[in-house]
Amino acid sequence: SGPLQRTERAILSTRELEVAHWVRAGKSNREIAIILGISSRTVGKHLENIFEKLHLENRYGLMQPTENGLDHS
C-alpha cells in the first residue's frame, strides 16, 4: 500500500489502519490475527468498525479507491 489519504488516517484508529493494510495485502482474518497477535474475532470487529466508519459493504471495498478518500496506490 502507498500513502494513505489524510481523511482515512483521521477516521480510523491505528489498529484499524493496520488491519486495513493487511486486508489490502490480501491477508485473511486469521492471517491478520497471527500477524498482529490478536484473535480472529478481534480482527472481525475491527473490520466491522472500518466498514461502518468508511461506509463500506465488505472488505473488497477497501481495495477500491473511492469518494471516501481511500488511496492505496
Side-chain angles (χ1 to χ4, degrees), residues 8-24:
E8 184 174 322
R9 288 193 309 255
I11 292 170
L12 300 181
S13 72
T14 300
R15 186 60 102 184
E16 289 165 350
L17 288 168
E18 291 172 331
V19 170
H21 165 78
W22 290 112
V23 167
R24 289 183 180 129

Side-chain angles (χ1 to χ4, degrees), residues 5 54-56 61-72:
Q5 298 256 339
L54 299 181
H55 310 288
L56 299 173
L62 284 171
M63 305 293 201
Q64 305 299 320
T66 68
E67 65 277 1
N68 292 320
L70 303 181
D71 178 16
H72 55 276

Side-chain angles (χ1 to χ4, degrees), residues 24-41:
R24 289 183 180 129
K27 301 296 183 189
S28 69
N29 286 14
R30 184 171 180 276
E31 291 171 318
I32 295 168
I34 292 167
I35 291 166
L36 298 180
I38 59 179
S39 73
S40 294
R41 185 172 178 221

Side-chain angles (χ1 to χ4, degrees), residues 47-65:
L47 283 172
E48 287 177 21
N49 293 338
I50 292 166
F51 301 155
E52 183 177 334
K53 288 179 179 182
L54 299 181
H55 310 288
L56 299 173
E57 296 280 327
N58 54 47
R59 70 193 301 120
Y60 301 106
L62 284 171
M63 305 293 201
Q64 305 299 320

